[in-house]
Amino acid sequence: EAEVAQSPRYKITEKSQAVAFWCDPISGHATLYWYRQILGQGPELLVQFQDESVVDDSQLPKDRFSAERLKGVDSTLKIQPAELGDSAMYLCASSLGLRNEQFFGPGTRLTVL
Amino acid sequence: QQQVKQSPQSLIVQKGGISIINCAYENTAFDYFPWYQQFPGKGPALLIAIRPDVSEKKEGRFTISFNKSAKQFSLHIMDSQPGDSATYFCAAWNSGNTPLVFGKGTRLSVIA
C-alpha cells in the first residue's frame, strides 16, 4: 500500500538553529500539504502545494518558515531560526487533487531546546 | 476562531460499549466531514467520512450521524475494543476551496 514518507521521524535542535523536514507524497498525488500539530491539538495547515505551485501559505510564518516543492514531487519544509514554540509534530499529507481525500505521513516530531 | 468544536476532550469506555464523539461547525459552506484516527507517534488516518446529503453513514463498527439543521455530526463506535484506544479528530472542508479544519481531538481509552 502506497504511503506518504517523511524524514526524519524525530529531530531535536537548539533554538536559533536551522532544521529541515522532507516529505515524499504518494506517487501521482498532485496536491501536497504541510501541517503543524501541537500536542493535544488538531493539525493546522501551514502550506499547500498543487504540483510545484503554492496554493495556500496564509498560515505559514514566513519570517522563519519556508517550503518548496521544486519538481512537483517531494517537498522540504525549513525553519530558520527555530524557536522554542516551534516544538510540535510536523505532518505531511498528499491527495490526488484539491478535491480528494488527504493521506497523512507519520510526521516529524520536532523538539526545540 | 475555532471553526469545528469537538467534545468530549477525553472519553473512557468499557470494552463492548458504545463510544460517542460529537462535533459542531459554523460554516455552512462545509460539504465534507471526515473523521481521523491517530495513534501515538503516527499521523492521522482517515476512518470514515460523510457529505451533508445523507444523515448517516456506517462502515463496520463505525457510524457517522449528521444533522445538517443543527450543524452537528457525531461518531459512534459500536462494540468498542481496546485496539480502538486512540485520539479521534473530526474535520470539515469546503472541497477545494478551504483548508481541512480539524477539531481539537478526543482521546478515547477503551478498558477491559
Side-chain angles (χ1 to χ4, degrees):
Chain A
E1 182 176 303
E3 295 181 341
V4 176
Q6 288 188 249
S7 67
R9 294 293 312 279
Y10 304 92
K11 180 70 178 178
I12 300 174
T13 191
E14 293 184 345
K15 65 179 182 178
S16 79
Q17 296 298 304
V19 292
F21 313 132
W22 177 79
C23 172
D24 190 12
I26 293 172
S27 178
H29 281 198
T31 311
L32 185 146
Y33 311 80
W34 282 102
Y35 289 86
R36 177 168 57 186
Q37 184 178 22
I38 296 169
L39 192 63
Q41 303 284 325
E44 294 181 330
L45 182 70
L46 290 173
V47 61
Q48 176 182 341
F49 290 91
Q50 180 66 21
D51 299 311
E52 66 277 5
S53 300
V54 173
V55 174
D56 183 353
D57 64 355
S58 58
Q59 300 304 310
L60 189 70
K62 298 181 188 65
D63 57 334
R64 297 185 301 107
F65 286 63
S66 64
E68 60 183 16
R69 194 184 184 198
L70 293 176
K71 297 183 179 180
V73 180
D74 59 340
S75 175
T76 303
L77 178 69
K78 296 179 181 178
I79 308 175
Q80 183 173 16
E83 296 181 352
L84 295 176
D86 297 331
S87 294
M89 175 80 86
Y90 289 83
L91 294 162
C92 179
S94 70
S95 63
L96 279 171
L98 289 172
R99 295 178 177 269
N100 297 101
E101 294 174 2
Q102 298 179 29
F103 296 85
F104 284 80
T108 296
R109 169 71 67 187
L110 173 67
T111 301
V112 182
L113 303 175
Chain B
Q1 181 186 2
Q2 189 181 355
Q3 296 192 54
V4 179
K5 294 183 179 181
Q6 184 172 346
S7 64
Q9 193 173 10
S10 62
L11 181 62
I12 300 174
V13 173
Q14 292 277 351
K15 179 182 175 182
I18 302 173
S19 303
I20 301 174
I21 304 170
N22 300 300
C23 282
Y25 64 97
E26 290 296 324
N27 188 345
T28 56
F30 287 146
D31 60 3
Y32 176 71
F33 301 89
W35 285 89
Y36 285 83
Q37 180 188 55
Q38 186 176 29
F39 293 103
K42 305 288 187 181
L46 180 65
L47 192 61
I48 187 173
I50 197 169
R51 294 195 182 271
D53 52 344
V54 297
S55 59
E56 185 175 281
K57 183 175 181 180
K58 184 176 181 179
E59 289 184 2
R61 297 185 294 109
F62 301 91
T63 299
I64 299 179
S65 297
F66 188 83
N67 186 330
K68 189 175 181 178
S69 60
K71 292 186 286 186
Q72 295 175 346
F73 58 110
S74 60
L75 175 69
H76 292 64
I77 306 174
M78 311 299 288
D79 187 26
S80 299
Q81 299 296 312
D84 297 330
S85 297
T87 300
Y88 293 81
F89 293 94
C90 62
W93 189 22
N94 177 359
S95 308
N97 288 335
T98 62
L100 192 59
V101 179
F102 286 83
K104 291 192 173 184
T106 296
R107 191 168 186 174
L108 172 65
S109 297
V110 181
I111 56 176

